[in-house]
Amino acid sequence: QVQLVESGGGLVQPGGSLTLSCAASGSTSDYYAIGWFRQAPGKEREGVSCISLVNGNTFYGASVKGRFTVSGNNAGNTAYLEMKMNNLKPEDTAVYYCATDFATCELDVVARYNLGSWGQGTQVTVSS
């Protein structure tokens, strides 16, 4: 059973930056990928970014491409994930979730079917 802990959320002004971190502990050595997802009030869960723990390939949702950068690695039984968010916009406001233990970085699929294991989430609010 994997446990995921997110950190780094908070309040930031439009145009500002924030970095989210996630540590996934458990039997992560065989996991394919780890990623970030978000859900705003009244909206469906959305895939934000994903990184393959096998080859380091990264994937991004269309709304964050060019503004967010994801990095991560697998060290023994702990997988680490970080996402640097630049030029934040009010529409980025959401609860951000770290998730792993899924075999694809097709963000829409993972989000729609709630695949894998998920953390409790961290709130990001972009407001002046």
Side-chain angles (χ1 to χ4, degrees):
Q1 190 81 5
V2 61
Q3 291 185 322
L4 299 101
V5 178
E6 303 104 332
S7 62
L11 173 65
V12 62
Q13 292 186 342
S17 299
L18 210 57
T19 299
L20 301 184
S21 300
C22 171
S25 58
S27 300
T28 62
S29 57
D30 294 330
Y31 288 177
Y32 170 78
I34 189 168
W36 289 102
F37 300 80
R38 67 187 183 187
Q39 189 163 22
K43 294 190 176 181
E44 293 185 350
R45 188 170 290 182
E46 175 189 9
V48 178
S49 65
C50 183
I51 184 167
S52 167
L53 296 173
V54 176
N55 57 27
N57 287 347
T58 55
F59 305 82
Y60 296 93
S63 62
V64 306
K65 217 169 200 177
R67 299 188 296 123
F68 292 10
T69 303
V70 69
S71 60
N73 63 79
N74 212 346
N77 287 329
T78 303
Y80 298 96
L81 181 68
E82 189 171 274
M83 183 168 69
K84 173 74 169 177
M85 305 184 293
N86 293 323
N87 190 21
L88 283 160
K89 304 176 181 180
E91 51 264 42
D92 294 317
T93 295
V95 177
Y96 283 70
Y97 299 91
C98 176
T100 189
D101 192 14
F102 41 78
T104 178
C105 268
E106 290 188 51
L107 296 170
D108 291 346
V109 173
V110 177
R112 184 180 309 130
Y113 297 104
N114 201 32
L115 301 179
S117 299
W118 295 70
Q120 293 299 308
T122 185
Q123 176 71 46
V124 172
T125 302
V126 185
S127 174
S128 55

